[in-house]
Amino acid sequence: MIDKTVATVAEAIADIHDGATVMIGGFGTAGMPSELIDALIAQGARELTIVNNNAGNGDVGLALLLEAKRVRKIICSFPRQTDSWHFDALYRKGEIELELVPQGNLAERIRAAGAGIGAFYTPTGYGTLLAEGKETREIDGRQYVLEHPIRADFALVKALAGDRWGNLVYRKTARNFGPIMASAARCTIAQVQRIVPLGALDPEAVVTPGIFVHRVVEVVVEAANAGTAPAPGTAT
Amino acid sequence: MIDKTVATVAEAIADIHDGATVMIGGFGTAGMPSELIDALIAQGARELTIVNNNAGNGDVGLALLLEAKRVRKIICSFPRQTDSWHFDALYRKGEIELELVPQGNLAERIRAAGAGIGAFYTPTGYGTLLAEGKETREIDGRQYVLEHPIRADFALVKALAGDRWGNLVYRKTARNFGPIMASAARCTIAQVQRIVPLGALDPEAVVTPGIFVHRVVEVVVEAANAGTAPAPGTAT
Amino acid sequence: MNRYTRDQMAARVAQDIRDGAYVNLGIGLPTLVANHLPKDREIILHTENGLLGMGPAPAPGAEDPDLINAGKQPVTALPGASFFHHADSFAMMRGGHLDCCVLGAFQVSVEGDLANWHTGAPDAIPAVGGAMDLALGAKSVYVMMEHLTKSGESKIVSQCTYPVTALRCVSRIYTDLAVLEVTPRGLRAVDIVDGLSLPELARLSGVAIGS
Amino acid sequence: MNRYTRDQMAARVAQDIRDGAYVNLGIGLPTLVANHLPKDREIILHTENGLLGMGPAPAPGAEDPDLINAGKQPVTALPGASFFHHADSFAMMRGGHLDCCVLGAFQVSVEGDLANWHTGAPDAIPAVGGAMDLALGAKSVYVMMEHLTKSGESKIVSQCTYPVTALRCVSRIYTDLAVLEVTPRGLRAVDIVDGLSLPELARLSGVAIGS
């Protein structure tokens, strides 16, 4: 029988090794799997490469992982925010490597990894600093940059509900990077607000089919605590 | 106000011009927009390039469009089936051009057109007849073929329900090529079993957001007639 | 010198967005455009973090941390909205499906090059987000910005000195002094604030502007 | 000469599919494997036209034309199933997410090249479907076929003479005479039908086979 559910977040992330590449879902705090990240901080893995849209907000989740100096390199599109002080400090001290990727290329490179695409030509970034040194090509009169997949050892994602096969549904704009990251990692770990019986999710509305998910852990969230309040006005 | 609904299939396809490239959804008869195709036959456009997984089944839909000699070229993955007699006859007489594409490359090339990707490296087809003359590249020790987007002037798709913004949901495996074709055409025309009020579709479960759809037409289907019986045993 | 207010600029942009358009409003000044969309037009807002059919800010107390815009501010979803993941969202942009996006800028060149992501300062922490995808993805790219920097230099330039976001992508520029169209033959003034002449506008801008 | 029956071959393949595996069964002979999956294992079937969690054929009269497999035969969906579009379905295959696929073949080479889509006959109408994606996408590719053609020629060959589907993709070959593993040092016999010796199998096959 297939049962991808695990009992605790600690168990779910136990085998993340030093030096692993870890994708972490979320756009700011929406969709950020904070409890999995907290467990990863407690677990102690070091020298991580993190893939996320941002570089941590305030004093929660990814920001704390950075503060704990567990991250060697971050691949993201928008590190600098009004509340990204932990990243900012590390970056200014030269204690973290940054690979800055335009958000659409970040998403497409992650999707390419999951979809078995070797590389692709994207118009985004052509002629800019972020395409320096990259191969370019004119196709049908338009200029493109060659970009390669971003693969990961682990993906940590947050979803609304999941079942024992690993099928996932998300909630509103907390979906963001979850589905594509789930497809791009050797081992995808999902924290969900509730584990539901097999068959409870509408097969027409499953967003991440279970084939992309390896572990599902239920994280009980207090109603008042269902997400961390966003920091209004911080940019994309 | 946005109202993409149109009253009749004839009106929906009225401007398809001679020489147009038309994507037609469906895998065999599942998801085939038969009523739109019938209207296109009646409308009379000629010299069409058709993109579909197959090359028509039996004496319905796409097969009849072929029989009526309206199709100059077909781009598909699996033309030869037990009931593809209209295509077979035209092909053997040299009266239709065939571009044969492995099914995954067909899907990905359509998706690339919708997603603004200039070209992509795919492992599928490498070293085979279907990659002859195509550019290849080794990436991380694996061999890939360069494939380009397939764009269309029009896409004809069949969905279960749609609203006046063009949002669509599909039914079971009739979904197949509908969502990607909708994204790859300048004008996407959807036939639906029912038009529902705006807001009736669950925003978490919309499969094709309305941005990809230009016209929606309701086709009333008798229950006994909700689809054409498949021809068992015909291949993929 | 007369100047258009920020709300006047936003209203002027809004007037150029047609009924039924799919539109992405960038962070900052462009956000104001949402308040000025004509009531008799139905315009569908896209936010790149995965929502079409974005509605206004929620009532105080009704914020949902899972329902935010690209600026990470709480928003709402209208009837007819749809949610999707990031690859699909940027496919909408890169694939040319948006009719229009409205962006802020540091500089715009006479050829429509846009610089809006990086000041180029050596100690700045770079961050790009979706700016590059937006700049080249939409059918029309409208820039909203002050015409001059605080020190009086023109933000409309012969060639961008800041790092560019995308080349030849801007269609129109809405400033506190004028509305300019980027054409193959250079900039053309569509509107100028009352009391400012075309020659004076060109002089302030430091570039040629046609009428 | 003894031969495994088609059901014995299918049962033998089924035995090699582990609990929890994601599996795609090709058209024709491989379809039989579904009838032999061990009852104590939960195995999830993928069909490339957009379904994970495919169930058995429906009862007569309960066919749904919108719920079919890649062979366009009516099927059912199990609790836990999910539907998706073609690009996502082939991403699952090309991206290496399937544990196993089972395919028919015209020929397999000693290096694991597969020929199963085209006889190469000049008057044949070519059709490829998902064969090429399946052959290179799954972690393990199992081929099921008769060992010999009707005229007695080996379908296991030094080099394919039919047009190939994909290169070096086959892991195991299940025939009516043997089960063979493709290794970097050539073919290795895992099972041979009762009464047939390894040298005789190699002679019939026309290629070297190790033990």
Side-chain angles (χ1 to χ4, degrees):
Chain A
M1 190 180 102
I2 300 170
D3 187 2
K4 298 182 180 178
T5 64
V6 293
T8 66
V9 287
E11 186 186 336
I13 58 83
D15 58 347
I16 297 183
H17 52 276
D18 289 357
T21 295
V22 183
M23 291 179 173
I24 299 183
F27 182 84
T29 53
M32 179 186 286
S34 299
E35 285 78 3
L36 286 173
I37 299 170
D38 290 346
L40 180 57
I41 294 170
Q43 186 253 34
R46 314 188 69 83
E47 293 289 314
L48 301 173
T49 294
I50 298 295
V51 184
N52 182 265
N53 186 61
N54 302 107
N57 298 77
D59 289 299
V60 295
L62 178 51
L64 295 183
L65 188 71
L66 296 179
E67 189 199 17
K69 303 207 175 176
R70 302 293 172 68
V71 181
R72 186 183 69 73
K73 177 179 177 181
I74 189 157
I75 303 174
C76 71
S77 89
F78 209 87
R80 184 194 66 231
Q81 300 181 92
T82 54
D83 58 352
S84 60
W85 44 76
H86 291 303
F87 171 80
D88 298 358
L90 291 168
Y91 183 80
R92 294 202 188 282
K93 282 190 282 185
E95 291 181 1
I96 192 165
E97 184 183 342
L98 169 66
E99 180 178 346
L100 189 71
V101 183
Q103 199 169 141
N105 287 355
L106 182 66
E108 191 69 11
R109 290 175 64 188
I110 294 167
R111 189 235 171 225
I117 298 300
F120 59 91
Y121 289 99
T122 172
T124 305
Y126 177 81
T128 75
L129 279 181
L130 298 186
E132 274 185 3
K134 299 197 175 193
E135 185 176 331
T136 62
R137 183 184 293 223
E138 182 175 322
I139 302 169
D140 284 342
R142 192 172 192 192
Q143 299 292 341
Y144 294 87
V145 182
L146 185 67
E147 290 284 359
H148 289 81
I150 302 175
R151 296 182 183 85
D153 299 303
F154 295 89
L156 310 183
V157 305
K158 178 180 173 179
L160 176 64
D163 62 27
R164 68 176 175 84
W165 279 13
N167 293 306
L168 302 178
V169 296
Y170 300 82
R171 187 166 179 275
K172 304 187 178 180
T173 56
R175 183 183 305 192
N176 58 66
F177 283 90
I180 52 175
M181 287 183 170
S183 78
R186 283 194 302 99
C187 178
T188 292
I189 305 162
Q191 70 169 66
V192 299
Q193 276 184 43
R194 51 178 196 277
I195 292 172
V196 298
L198 201 67
L201 301 176
D202 177 0
E204 301 282 8
V206 166
V207 173
T208 294
I211 193 170
F212 297 124
V213 178
H214 305 85
R215 298 171 197 161
V216 179
V217 58
E218 192 173 83
V219 171
V220 179
V221 181
E222 306 286 319
N225 213 359
T228 309
T234 58
T236 180
Chain B
M1 192 179 100
I2 299 171
D3 186 3
K4 298 181 180 179
T5 64
V6 293
T8 66
V9 287
E11 185 185 337
I13 57 84
D15 58 348
I16 297 182
H17 52 276
D18 289 357
T21 296
V22 183
M23 291 181 173
I24 299 182
F27 181 85
T29 52
M32 179 185 286
S34 299
E35 285 77 3
L36 287 173
I37 299 170
D38 290 347
L40 179 58
I41 294 169
Q43 186 254 34
R46 313 189 71 83
E47 294 289 312
L48 302 173
T49 294
I50 297 294
V51 184
N52 182 264
N53 186 61
N54 302 108
N57 299 76
D59 290 299
V60 295
L62 178 52
L64 295 184
L65 187 71
L66 296 179
E67 189 200 17
K69 305 208 175 176
R70 303 292 172 70
V71 181
R72 186 184 69 74
K73 176 180 177 180
I74 189 157
I75 302 174
C76 72
S77 90
F78 209 88
R80 185 195 65 231
Q81 301 181 90
T82 54
D83 59 351
S84 60
W85 45 76
H86 292 303
F87 170 81
D88 298 358
L90 291 167
Y91 184 78
R92 293 201 189 283
K93 282 190 283 185
E95 292 181 359
I96 192 165
E97 183 183 345
L98 170 65
E99 179 179 345
L100 189 70
V101 183
Q103 200 170 140
N105 288 354
L106 183 65
E108 192 68 12
R109 290 175 63 188
I110 294 167
R111 190 240 172 219
I117 298 299
F120 60 91
Y121 289 99
T122 172
T124 305
Y126 177 81
T128 75
L129 278 181
L130 298 186
E132 274 185 2
K134 298 198 176 193
E135 183 176 332
T136 62
R137 180 183 297 221
E138 183 175 321
I139 301 169
D140 285 342
R142 193 171 192 192
Q143 299 291 342
Y144 294 87
V145 181
L146 186 66
E147 290 284 0
H148 288 79
I150 302 175
R151 296 183 183 86
D153 298 305
F154 295 89
L156 310 183
V157 305
K158 178 181 173 180
L160 175 64
D163 62 27
R164 67 176 174 85
W165 280 12
N167 293 305
L168 301 178
V169 297
Y170 299 82
R171 188 167 177 275
K172 303 186 180 181
T173 57
R175 184 184 303 194
N176 58 66
F177 283 91
I180 51 175
M181 287 183 170
S183 77
R186 282 194 302 99
C187 178
T188 293
I189 305 161
Q191 70 169 65
V192 298
Q193 276 184 42
R194 51 178 194 277
I195 291 172
V196 298
L198 200 67
L201 300 176
D202 178 359
E204 302 281 7
V206 167
V207 173
T208 294
I211 193 170
F212 297 123
V213 178
H214 305 85
R215 298 171 197 160
V216 180
V217 58
E218 191 172 84
V219 171
V220 178
V221 182
E222 304 287 318
N225 213 358
T228 309
T234 57
T236 181
Chain C
M1 189 162 63
N2 277 329
R3 291 178 190 277
Y4 296 125
T5 64
R6 292 158 64 98
D7 276 311
Q8 283 173 322
M9 290 163 65
R12 186 63 185 76
V13 172
Q15 185 189 313
D16 284 355
I17 300 176
R18 68 165 176 76
D19 190 25
Y22 290 90
V23 177
N24 186 300
L25 301 177
I27 310 287
L29 196 51
T31 308
L32 276 186
V33 173
N35 302 338
H36 296 276
L37 295 172
K39 299 286 176 245
D40 60 341
R41 298 184 201 166
E42 196 173 28
I43 287 163
I44 300 182
L45 298 181
H46 171 264
T47 180
E48 58 261 43
N49 54 317
L51 168 61
L52 262 180
M54 181 171 66
E63 296 87 353
D64 181 341
D66 286 344
L67 185 50
I68 61 175
N69 65 12
K72 303 197 174 83
Q73 295 168 305
V75 296
T76 51
L78 299 178
S82 53
F83 296 108
F84 32 83
H85 63 57
H86 248 79
D88 282 351
S89 185
F90 280 77
M92 283 178 199
M93 294 153 68
R94 201 192 310 105
H97 303 283
L98 289 178
D99 294 294
C100 173
C101 76
V102 186
L103 297 172
F106 299 142
Q107 291 179 325
V108 180
S109 85
V110 292
E111 292 190 319
D113 296 350
L114 171 68
N116 78 344
W117 73 282
H118 193 358
T119 61
D123 66 335
I125 297 178
V128 63
M132 291 182 178
D133 302 274
L134 278 168
L136 59 74
K139 286 173 198 150
S140 298
V141 174
Y142 295 165
V143 162
M144 268 180 91
M145 63 179 186
E146 310 292 317
H147 205 101
L148 305 174
T149 65
K150 279 172 193 156
S151 53
E153 287 159 75
S154 175
K155 295 166 82 168
I156 295 170
V157 293
S158 313
Q159 197 141 24
C160 292
T161 56
Y162 288 158
V164 295
T165 306
L167 303 174
R168 295 169 189 244
C169 60
V170 176
S171 319
R172 286 192 162 211
I173 310 166
Y174 299 79
T175 77
D176 49 343
L177 300 183
V179 177
L180 304 172
E181 191 167 62
V182 181
T183 80
R185 293 164 309 285
L187 298 179
R188 189 180 74 80
V190 177
D191 283 344
I192 306 181
V193 73
D194 279 351
L196 188 65
S197 69
L198 180 61
E200 182 63 5
L201 176 69
R203 194 191 62 75
L204 283 169
S205 306
V207 299
I209 300 177
S211 61
Chain D
M1 188 161 63
N2 278 329
R3 292 178 188 277
Y4 296 125
T5 65
R6 293 158 63 97
D7 276 312
Q8 284 172 322
M9 290 164 63
R12 186 63 185 77
V13 171
Q15 186 189 314
D16 285 355
I17 299 176
R18 69 166 176 76
D19 190 25
Y22 290 89
V23 177
N24 185 300
L25 301 177
I27 311 287
L29 197 51
T31 308
L32 276 185
V33 173
N35 301 338
H36 295 277
L37 295 172
K39 299 286 177 245
D40 61 343
R41 297 183 202 166
E42 196 173 29
I43 286 162
I44 300 182
L45 297 181
H46 171 262
T47 180
E48 59 260 41
N49 54 316
L51 168 61
L52 262 180
M54 180 172 66
E63 296 88 354
D64 180 342
D66 285 343
L67 184 50
I68 60 175
N69 65 13
K72 305 198 173 81
Q73 295 168 306
V75 295
T76 50
L78 300 177
S82 53
F83 296 108
F84 32 83
H85 64 56
H86 248 79
D88 282 350
S89 185
F90 280 78
M92 283 179 197
M93 295 154 68
R94 201 191 311 104
H97 304 282
L98 290 178
D99 295 294
C100 174
C101 77
V102 186
L103 297 172
F106 299 142
Q107 291 179 326
V108 180
S109 84
V110 292
E111 292 190 319
D113 296 351
L114 171 69
N116 78 344
W117 74 281
H118 193 357
T119 60
D123 67 334
I125 297 179
V128 64
M132 292 184 177
D133 302 274
L134 279 169
L136 59 73
K139 287 173 197 149
S140 299
V141 173
Y142 295 164
V143 162
M144 271 180 89
M145 64 180 186
E146 310 292 317
H147 206 102
L148 305 174
T149 66
K150 279 171 193 157
S151 54
E153 288 159 72
S154 174
K155 295 167 82 167
I156 296 169
V157 294
S158 312
Q159 197 141 23
C160 293
T161 55
Y162 287 158
V164 296
T165 306
L167 303 174
R168 295 170 188 240
C169 61
V170 176
S171 320
R172 289 192 159 210
I173 310 165
Y174 298 79
T175 78
D176 50 343
L177 300 183
V179 178
L180 304 172
E181 191 168 64
V182 181
T183 81
R185 295 162 309 284
L187 297 180
R188 188 181 75 80
V190 177
D191 284 343
I192 305 182
V193 73
D194 279 351
L196 188 65
S197 69
L198 181 60
E200 183 63 6
L201 176 69
R203 195 191 60 75
L204 282 169
S205 306
V207 299
I209 299 177
S211 63

